[in-house]
Amino acid sequence: MSVAGQDPFNEEHDDAPERDDDSVIGRAFLGSIAIFACLGLILGTSYYFLRGTKKVEIAVAEPISLPERREMPTAVVPTAQWTDITDSAGIHFVHNSGAAGEKLLPETMGGGCAFFDYDADGDQDLLLVNACAWPNNRVANAPDTTLALFQNDGTGKFTDVTKETGLDLSVYGMGVACGDYDADGYIDLFISCLGEDRLFHNEKGRFRDVTEQSGVGGDAKAWSVSSGWFDYDNDGDLDLLVCHYVEWTREFDLAQEFRLLGGKERAYGGPQRFGGSFPSLFRNNGGGKFSDVSKEAGFQVLNPATSVPMGKSLGLVFEDFDNDGFLDCVIANDTVQNFLFHNQGNGQFEEVGAMVGVAFDATGAARGAMGIDAAAFRNNMSVGIAIGNFANEMSALYVSKGRSLQFYDEAVANGFGPATRLELTFGVLFMDFDLDGRLDIFQSNGHLEEDIAKVQASQRYAQSPQLFWNAGPEFTTEFVKCRDAETGPDLQKPMVGRGASYADIDNDGDLDVIAVGCGQKPRLLRNDQKLQNHWIRIKLVGKGSNRDAIGALVEIQVGEKTQSRRVNPTRSYLSQVELPVTFGLGMSDEIDRMLIHWPNGKKQTISKPQVDQLLVIEQPELQ
């Protein structure tokens, strides 16, 4: 028996009494179990008799009616073959960038092109803009490279008429703007250059240099790029807007240590180290005279942080985004924010690009923007602005909600952007290549640096042009990239693409394309689609408005569907498209109504015009 204060676990104490206590506890525990068992039996029996024989009703869940699986429509891309007819059509031209090993920035940026009817015979002729050798690299007795004008015989066959038309001019040319600024029935030419720009007056098929007396030559040190004619004040004649890229000199360029990553040899540099510049707006005063109204019109945008010119402009397009009767303009800027100049209707513009959503990408960053186009590609009141950007920056597609100055970049959502991310895009065009009534997108691509593949495995100097078919807004992938099997190999062949343009060169109703190569031959692609879709082409002649009817809006009604096209040849990059507008009609062989909104605000209705024709419409004299 243990004593208080003694260790109970001491091995020397007597443990017999403890064993007696364990026996007592064991008997008590067994008795408790028996009692609890009896109580459980009594309670269980009582519960059974009290509940009787009532059955328990078990609720059966009703089967869930699941919705039927939604089958998404499948977009079937049409087959439309494209044929390279550059040589067979008589287009013998090689662009001269002036490159001779020094790797100067201007060598990477040209050139432009234009389809226009220079001789007023009804078909689309072709101008190709050329640069030239640098003064210090010219070879004695070597012929100078010049602009090139090719006359169309109406079937898509061309003859070089450069010399006899007076355009055998050697300049460091970049782009071209076509417009009949004096309303004499012949389209005049403005050539943007590195250095003084040139204006040529078309005198019934022969061109005369009128730069000096016109006042549009600009600064001899400026670098002009995309340009365009438009009637910004609706006074009935065409004014001229000229974009400028950066402040550039050969000496400053050579002083920069531009290198490819890890390389020792000089590379082409970007625009970041060069100063910005202002666009120039020239008001048409009549009599072949122009006034520079850039400052008072609101085009001199300063960087708020540095008070220096902000713009580094490349692409230009005009459109009346808010439907107020005055043309606005969007300028694509390289590595700085894009501009949207809203026309106030009083001779002044307000730059609202950031406010309306076209200045930056979705993260608020500026991109390397090059070419541009704008159109009502969904056949409703909304307008899309497509902008081609630098390599590894997908193309943008800013879309308005109706005719409002508010845009959202939908390039990712509709499938267009991801397919363009790797390419470095210059020329961008909305065009209905298959005549189904929906505007598709063509892109001209090519890198700046010949050796880019050495440092970026995903990049190539020569890149394939891209054609995107518009499947319609009912598809998740609204724009579908066309493959070799759908276009043929000629369109997809890589090139160092720059400017691009379209026209119906053979008068068969569909649109053909040219893409200019930097330092190489262009590619003239004939559209050989055989889809049997109907079409109509409209050529407007203004009377109370400017003669080219630039700024006019043409609408057609086919059943419940409405399409619209803006007369505006200034598109793409450094380039101009033809003046006539083309509507694809699909299988519809009848147009219910055509409505023309002339640039001076007057309207004209034409009932049931015949399809499958080029229709020339003159503005009524009383308007």
Side-chain angles (χ1 to χ4, degrees):
M1 179 175 183
S2 62
V3 180
Q6 187 178 2
D7 184 359
F9 295 101
N10 192 310
E11 293 181 357
E12 294 180 350
H13 71 266
D14 186 4
D15 60 352
E18 292 186 2
R19 285 196 295 271
D20 292 341
D21 291 343
D22 289 344
S23 299
V24 173
I25 293 171
R27 288 192 296 271
F29 178 71
L30 291 174
S32 298
I33 291 176
I35 292 171
F36 280 119
C38 292
L39 289 173
L41 180 62
I42 294 170
L43 290 173
T45 303
S46 301
Y47 173 75
Y48 175 79
F49 284 106
L50 286 173
R51 67 183 292 271
T53 58
K54 184 178 180 180
K55 296 181 179 180
V56 177
E57 295 182 0
I58 301 175
V60 179
E62 294 291 333
I64 299 174
S65 179
L66 297 174
E68 294 184 6
R69 179 180 177 183
R70 182 183 177 188
E71 297 292 340
M72 296 298 292
T74 301
V76 180
V77 181
T79 298
Q81 296 292 306
W82 297 79
T83 305
D84 184 344
I85 61 168
T86 312
D87 293 331
S88 61
I91 306 300
H92 304 299
F93 175 89
V94 178
H95 177 260
N96 178 16
S97 68
E102 292 180 308
K103 296 213 166 181
L104 303 173
L105 181 57
E107 298 166 1
T108 68
M109 304 306 291
C113 58
F115 280 116
F116 74 118
D117 184 7
Y118 91 93
D119 51 3
D121 66 351
D123 51 46
Q124 301 303 311
D125 309 300
L126 174 64
L127 180 81
L128 295 170
V129 180
N130 214 341
C132 60
W134 298 108
N136 57 306
N137 292 328
R138 287 178 180 167
V139 178
N141 301 320
D144 291 328
T145 52
T146 71
L147 307 176
L149 179 63
F150 296 91
Q151 184 182 45
N152 190 350
D153 69 356
T155 68
K157 300 288 185 179
F158 293 85
T159 303
D160 190 333
V161 294
T162 308
K163 189 172 183 178
E164 53 263 49
T165 58
L167 290 176
D168 53 337
L169 175 73
S170 183
V171 292
Y172 204 97
M174 297 298 297
V176 55
C178 309
D180 184 3
Y181 69 80
D182 60 348
D184 65 353
Y186 287 87
I187 297 176
D188 311 299
L189 294 176
F190 176 83
I191 307 297
S192 61
C193 303
L194 177 64
E196 185 183 24
D197 301 321
R198 300 298 182 93
L199 178 63
F200 291 92
H201 183 241
N202 187 343
E203 299 176 349
K204 297 183 178 180
R206 183 168 179 82
F207 292 88
R208 180 169 62 93
D209 190 333
V210 295
T211 307
E212 186 174 352
Q213 55 265 45
S214 69
V216 299
D219 189 340
K221 296 181 179 180
W223 182 354
S224 301
V225 281
S226 291
S227 56
W229 297 94
F230 74 130
D231 185 4
Y232 81 93
D233 49 5
N234 285 353
D235 64 352
D237 54 30
L238 290 175
D239 311 295
L240 178 66
L241 182 62
V242 183
C243 294
H244 299 111
Y245 189 29
V246 295
E247 289 187 348
W248 181 89
T249 65
R250 179 175 177 272
E251 293 73 22
F252 183 82
D253 197 334
L254 288 173
Q256 308 307 305
E257 293 295 323
F258 294 129
R259 299 283 187 272
L260 288 177
L261 185 64
K264 296 182 179 180
E265 297 181 356
R266 179 172 166 82
Y268 285 111
Q272 292 90 338
R273 297 189 189 179
F274 298 90
S277 59
F278 298 132
S280 296
L281 176 63
F282 295 97
R283 184 181 61 211
N284 190 339
N285 299 325
K289 306 288 186 180
F290 294 81
S291 298
D292 188 338
V293 295
S294 311
K295 185 174 183 178
E296 52 264 48
F299 279 91
Q300 295 190 354
V301 180
L302 296 172
N303 185 318
T306 60
S307 297
V308 299
M310 180 185 291
K312 297 182 179 181
S313 304
L314 287 174
L316 170 66
V317 70
F318 303 110
E319 177 59 59
D320 182 4
F321 293 108
D322 56 350
N323 204 29
D324 65 353
F326 290 89
L327 285 176
D328 313 300
C329 59
V330 186
I331 294 178
N333 284 316
D334 190 1
T335 69
V336 298
Q337 67 185 68
N338 301 317
F339 294 149
L340 192 155
F341 288 97
H342 180 220
N343 193 334
Q344 304 294 293
N346 58 0
Q348 296 183 333
F349 292 78
E350 181 185 9
E351 200 292 295
V352 295
M355 184 186 306
V356 304
V358 302
F360 305 105
D361 68 8
T363 67
R367 291 182 276 200
M370 310 291 179
I372 189 170
D373 200 359
F377 71 94
R378 284 182 178 151
N379 293 333
N380 56 25
M381 291 295 289
S382 66
V383 177
I385 302 172
I387 299 179
N389 292 310
F390 202 77
N392 298 313
E393 297 175 341
M394 66 182 67
S395 294
L397 185 53
Y398 301 103
V399 184
S400 70
K401 302 302 179 183
R403 286 284 173 172
S404 67
L405 282 170
Q406 190 60 56
F407 294 83
Y408 304 89
D409 191 349
E410 298 186 9
V412 173
N414 63 25
F416 172 58
T420 68
R421 187 180 65 81
L422 289 179
E423 283 71 20
L424 199 166
T425 299
F426 281 88
V428 179
L429 293 167
F430 281 110
M431 55 177 289
D432 185 0
F433 77 86
D434 60 339
L435 301 176
D436 66 351
R438 296 187 299 272
L439 287 169
D440 314 297
I441 299 177
F442 176 85
Q443 293 200 150
S444 177
N445 306 316
H447 212 282
L448 308 181
E449 177 57 60
E450 299 159 289
D451 298 324
I452 190 63
K454 294 180 180 179
V455 294
Q456 292 187 34
S458 64
Q459 291 297 313
R460 296 293 182 272
Y461 183 46
Q463 300 179 357
S464 297
Q466 292 174 301
L467 184 63
F468 292 87
W469 178 62
N470 185 344
E474 64 270 23
F475 293 93
T476 302
T477 305
E478 190 170 1
F479 283 96
V480 183
K481 181 183 174 182
C482 299
R483 301 165 298 179
D484 282 22
E486 291 134 5
T487 67
D490 288 357
L491 184 143
Q492 307 277 349
K493 186 178 179 181
M495 66 181 297
V496 186
R498 294 297 184 261
S501 181
Y502 63 71
D504 179 10
I505 63 172
D506 47 6
N507 294 310
D508 63 353
D510 57 31
L511 295 174
D512 312 292
V513 168
I514 190 164
V516 175
C518 182
Q520 58 183 217
K521 293 171 57 176
R523 185 177 303 165
L524 180 60
L525 295 162
R526 187 182 63 209
N527 186 346
D528 289 332
Q529 60 85 23
K530 304 294 183 185
L531 299 170
Q532 308 303 315
N533 288 329
H534 295 287
W535 51 273
I536 190 169
R537 288 166 48 77
I538 310 298
K539 170 68 166 63
L540 299 182
V541 179
K543 292 293 180 68
S545 307
N546 69 84
R547 185 176 176 83
D548 292 338
I550 290 175
L553 185 69
V554 183
E555 297 178 343
I556 64 167
Q557 185 79 31
V558 180
E560 298 298 320
K561 298 180 180 179
T562 300
Q563 297 184 52
S564 64
R565 303 281 186 273
R566 181 77 63 186
V567 178
N568 172 36
T570 302
R571 304 173 183 273
S572 183
Y573 171 76
L574 305 176
S575 302
Q576 304 271 283
V577 302
E578 62 175 358
L579 271 174
V581 295
T582 298
F583 292 90
L585 305 174
M587 300 310 294
S588 300
D589 60 2
E590 186 176 278
I591 298 172
D592 298 319
R593 186 186 69 151
M594 178 183 297
L595 178 61
I596 301 168
H597 301 260
W598 292 96
N600 65 353
K602 303 295 184 180
K603 297 180 182 181
Q604 181 180 358
T605 302
I606 298 174
S607 180
K608 296 189 179 299
Q610 292 296 309
V611 304
D612 300 332
Q613 66 161 331
L614 171 64
L615 182 60
V616 179
I617 302 173
E618 293 190 1
Q619 186 173 9
E621 294 284 355
L622 295 178
Q623 292 191 346

